[in-house]
mmCIF file of all heavy atoms in Angstrom:
data_model
loop_
_atom_site.group_PDB
_atom_site.id
_atom_site.type_symbol
_atom_site.label_atom_id
_atom_site.label_comp_id
_atom_site.label_asym_id
_atom_site.label_seq_id
_atom_site.Cartn_x
_atom_site.Cartn_y
_atom_site.Cartn_z
ATOM 1 N N CYS A 51 8.373 2.144 16.731
ATOM 2 C CA CYS A 51 7.198 1.199 17.027
ATOM 3 C C CYS A 51 5.915 2.037 16.907
ATOM 4 O O CYS A 51 5.739 3.024 17.581
ATOM 5 C CB CYS A 51 7.403 0.657 18.445
ATOM 6 S SG CYS A 51 5.894 -0.349 18.916
ATOM 7 N N LEU A 52 5.127 1.577 15.964
ATOM 8 C CA LEU A 52 3.775 2.240 15.808
ATOM 9 C C LEU A 52 2.768 1.377 16.585
ATOM 10 O O LEU A 52 2.555 0.253 16.518
ATOM 11 C CB LEU A 52 3.384 2.095 14.310
ATOM 12 C CG LEU A 52 1.870 2.600 14.024
ATOM 13 C CD1 LEU A 52 1.808 4.157 14.256
ATOM 14 C CD2 LEU A 52 1.478 2.343 12.603
ATOM 15 N N ASP A 53 2.062 2.213 17.453
ATOM 16 C CA ASP A 53 0.896 1.641 18.291
ATOM 17 C C ASP A 53 -0.399 2.277 17.716
ATOM 18 O O ASP A 53 -0.535 3.461 17.690
ATOM 19 C CB ASP A 53 1.024 1.936 19.771
ATOM 20 C CG ASP A 53 0.013 1.237 20.573
ATOM 21 O OD1 ASP A 53 0.104 0.060 20.727
ATOM 22 O OD2 ASP A 53 -0.929 1.894 21.126
ATOM 23 N N LEU A 54 -1.262 1.357 17.282
ATOM 24 C CA LEU A 54 -2.543 1.811 16.578
ATOM 25 C C LEU A 54 -3.697 1.095 17.393
ATOM 26 O O LEU A 54 -3.722 -0.031 17.582
ATOM 27 C CB LEU A 54 -2.455 1.370 15.065
ATOM 28 C CG LEU A 54 -3.625 1.872 14.208
ATOM 29 C CD1 LEU A 54 -3.185 1.886 12.787
ATOM 30 C CD2 LEU A 54 -4.922 1.087 14.405
ATOM 31 N N ARG A 55 -4.557 2.012 17.888
ATOM 32 C CA ARG A 55 -5.697 1.606 18.622
ATOM 33 C C ARG A 55 -7.003 1.996 18.029
ATOM 34 O O ARG A 55 -7.191 3.266 17.695
ATOM 35 C CB ARG A 55 -5.639 2.164 20.059
ATOM 36 C CG ARG A 55 -4.378 1.712 20.873
ATOM 37 C CD ARG A 55 -4.504 0.168 21.250
ATOM 38 N NE ARG A 55 -3.189 -0.491 20.957
ATOM 39 C CZ ARG A 55 -3.011 -1.752 21.016
ATOM 40 N NH1 ARG A 55 -3.935 -2.617 21.313
ATOM 41 N NH2 ARG A 55 -1.770 -2.302 20.859
ATOM 42 N N PHE A 56 -7.988 1.248 17.930
ATOM 43 C CA PHE A 56 -9.336 1.569 17.502
ATOM 44 C C PHE A 56 -10.299 1.880 18.661
ATOM 45 O O PHE A 56 -10.319 0.925 19.571
ATOM 46 C CB PHE A 56 -9.933 0.471 16.660
ATOM 47 C CG PHE A 56 -9.162 0.225 15.282
ATOM 48 C CD1 PHE A 56 -8.417 -0.907 15.198
ATOM 49 C CD2 PHE A 56 -9.277 1.146 14.352
ATOM 50 C CE1 PHE A 56 -7.607 -1.096 13.980
ATOM 51 C CE2 PHE A 56 -8.514 0.971 13.071
ATOM 52 C CZ PHE A 56 -7.728 -0.266 12.978
ATOM 53 N N ALA A 57 -10.913 3.011 18.651
ATOM 54 C CA ALA A 57 -11.766 3.370 19.820
ATOM 55 C C ALA A 57 -12.682 4.452 19.344
ATOM 56 O O ALA A 57 -12.267 5.351 18.851
ATOM 57 C CB ALA A 57 -11.002 3.737 21.045
ATOM 58 N N ALA A 58 -13.967 4.222 19.540
ATOM 59 C CA ALA A 58 -14.994 5.277 19.460
ATOM 60 C C ALA A 58 -14.956 6.078 18.099
ATOM 61 O O ALA A 58 -14.928 7.287 18.053
ATOM 62 C CB ALA A 58 -14.904 6.277 20.642
ATOM 63 N N GLY A 59 -14.954 5.292 16.958
ATOM 64 C CA GLY A 59 -14.984 5.890 15.707
ATOM 65 C C GLY A 59 -13.675 6.560 15.332
ATOM 66 O O GLY A 59 -13.756 7.398 14.327
ATOM 67 N N ARG A 60 -12.653 6.265 15.897
ATOM 68 C CA ARG A 60 -11.314 6.836 15.470
ATOM 69 C C ARG A 60 -10.224 5.813 15.643
ATOM 70 O O ARG A 60 -10.333 4.815 16.347
ATOM 71 C CB ARG A 60 -11.030 8.051 16.318
ATOM 72 C CG ARG A 60 -10.727 7.743 17.690
ATOM 73 C CD ARG A 60 -10.572 9.131 18.465
ATOM 74 N NE ARG A 60 -11.767 9.898 18.538
ATOM 75 C CZ ARG A 60 -11.898 11.215 18.966
ATOM 76 N NH1 ARG A 60 -10.770 11.820 19.370
ATOM 77 N NH2 ARG A 60 -13.050 11.798 19.108
ATOM 78 N N ALA A 61 -9.024 6.093 15.009
ATOM 79 C CA ALA A 61 -7.829 5.310 15.210
ATOM 80 C C ALA A 61 -6.920 6.263 15.837
ATOM 81 O O ALA A 61 -6.637 7.399 15.330
ATOM 82 C CB ALA A 61 -7.299 4.855 13.761
ATOM 83 N N ARG A 62 -6.344 5.851 16.978
ATOM 84 C CA ARG A 62 -5.359 6.548 17.762
ATOM 85 C C ARG A 62 -4.073 6.053 17.470
ATOM 86 O O ARG A 62 -3.713 4.865 17.766
ATOM 87 C CB ARG A 62 -5.734 6.563 19.139
ATOM 88 C CG ARG A 62 -7.039 7.341 19.458
ATOM 89 C CD ARG A 62 -7.376 7.288 20.919
ATOM 90 N NE ARG A 62 -8.674 8.151 21.202
ATOM 91 C CZ ARG A 62 -9.318 8.191 22.311
ATOM 92 N NH1 ARG A 62 -8.906 7.375 23.282
ATOM 93 N NH2 ARG A 62 -10.347 9.004 22.485
ATOM 94 N N LEU A 63 -3.134 6.845 16.938
ATOM 95 C CA LEU A 63 -1.693 6.384 16.593
ATOM 96 C C LEU A 63 -0.723 7.037 17.544
ATOM 97 O O LEU A 63 -0.765 8.298 17.732
ATOM 98 C CB LEU A 63 -1.443 6.754 15.170
ATOM 99 C CG LEU A 63 -2.011 5.898 14.030
ATOM 100 C CD1 LEU A 63 -3.459 5.980 13.975
ATOM 101 C CD2 LEU A 63 -1.432 6.326 12.692
ATOM 102 N N ALA A 64 0.268 6.277 17.923
ATOM 103 C CA ALA A 64 1.355 6.793 18.712
ATOM 104 C C ALA A 64 2.629 6.110 18.163
ATOM 105 O O ALA A 64 2.610 4.906 17.945
ATOM 106 C CB ALA A 64 1.271 6.512 20.195
ATOM 107 N N LEU A 65 3.602 6.880 17.706
ATOM 108 C CA LEU A 65 4.794 6.365 17.124
ATOM 109 C C LEU A 65 5.996 6.677 18.072
ATOM 110 O O LEU A 65 6.293 7.876 18.246
ATOM 111 C CB LEU A 65 5.058 7.021 15.772
ATOM 112 C CG LEU A 65 6.230 6.385 15.008
ATOM 113 C CD1 LEU A 65 5.918 5.088 14.424
ATOM 114 C CD2 LEU A 65 6.647 7.431 13.843
ATOM 115 N N ALA A 66 6.612 5.664 18.613
ATOM 116 C CA ALA A 66 7.788 5.828 19.529
ATOM 117 C C ALA A 66 9.006 5.595 18.691
ATOM 118 O O ALA A 66 9.224 4.485 18.100
ATOM 119 C CB ALA A 66 7.797 4.902 20.709
ATOM 120 N N VAL A 67 9.887 6.649 18.432
ATOM 121 C CA VAL A 67 11.005 6.575 17.627
ATOM 122 C C VAL A 67 12.313 6.559 18.493
ATOM 123 O O VAL A 67 12.457 7.304 19.389
ATOM 124 C CB VAL A 67 11.049 7.814 16.664
ATOM 125 C CG1 VAL A 67 12.274 7.712 15.730
ATOM 126 C CG2 VAL A 67 9.800 7.859 15.891
ATOM 127 N N ASP A 68 13.184 5.604 18.126
ATOM 128 C CA ASP A 68 14.505 5.629 18.888
ATOM 129 C C ASP A 68 15.405 6.707 18.267
ATOM 130 O O ASP A 68 16.153 6.468 17.406
ATOM 131 C CB ASP A 68 15.073 4.171 18.690
ATOM 132 C CG ASP A 68 14.468 3.079 19.555
ATOM 133 O OD1 ASP A 68 13.699 3.464 20.378
ATOM 134 O OD2 ASP A 68 14.691 1.961 19.304
ATOM 135 N N GLY A 69 15.198 7.912 18.735
ATOM 136 C CA GLY A 69 15.878 9.095 18.214
ATOM 137 C C GLY A 69 14.876 10.156 17.880
ATOM 138 O O GLY A 69 13.748 10.190 18.271
ATOM 139 N N ASP A 70 15.393 11.122 17.079
ATOM 140 C CA ASP A 70 14.586 12.254 16.727
ATOM 141 C C ASP A 70 13.661 11.851 15.661
ATOM 142 O O ASP A 70 14.071 11.281 14.610
ATOM 143 C CB ASP A 70 15.536 13.372 16.276
ATOM 144 C CG ASP A 70 14.805 14.639 15.886
ATOM 145 O OD1 ASP A 70 13.525 14.709 16.118
ATOM 146 O OD2 ASP A 70 15.466 15.555 15.357
ATOM 147 N N ALA A 71 12.343 12.157 15.779
ATOM 148 C CA ALA A 71 11.356 11.908 14.804
ATOM 149 C C ALA A 71 11.481 12.790 13.574
ATOM 150 O O ALA A 71 10.884 12.426 12.473
ATOM 151 C CB ALA A 71 9.970 12.000 15.382
ATOM 152 N N GLY A 72 12.164 13.961 13.570
ATOM 153 C CA GLY A 72 12.229 14.803 12.413
ATOM 154 C C GLY A 72 11.171 15.750 12.381
ATOM 155 O O GLY A 72 10.167 15.720 13.100
ATOM 156 N N GLY A 73 11.241 16.661 11.316
ATOM 157 C CA GLY A 73 10.218 17.692 11.224
ATOM 158 C C GLY A 73 8.956 17.243 10.567
ATOM 159 O O GLY A 73 9.062 16.195 9.854
ATOM 160 N N GLU A 74 7.806 17.924 10.909
ATOM 161 C CA GLU A 74 6.518 17.720 10.403
ATOM 162 C C GLU A 74 6.200 16.251 10.514
ATOM 163 O O GLU A 74 5.572 15.563 9.738
ATOM 164 C CB GLU A 74 6.492 18.122 8.829
ATOM 165 C CG GLU A 74 6.711 19.555 8.542
ATOM 166 C CD GLU A 74 6.639 19.889 7.093
ATOM 167 O OE1 GLU A 74 6.347 18.955 6.316
ATOM 168 O OE2 GLU A 74 6.707 21.092 6.737
#
Side-chain angles (χ1 to χ4, degrees):
C51 176
L52 173 66
D53 187 72
L54 188 158
R55 299 289 139 190
F56 295 108
R60 68 183 67 190
R62 294 178 172 170
L63 281 64
L65 185 73
V67 184
D68 286 346
D70 183 7
E74 301 182 353

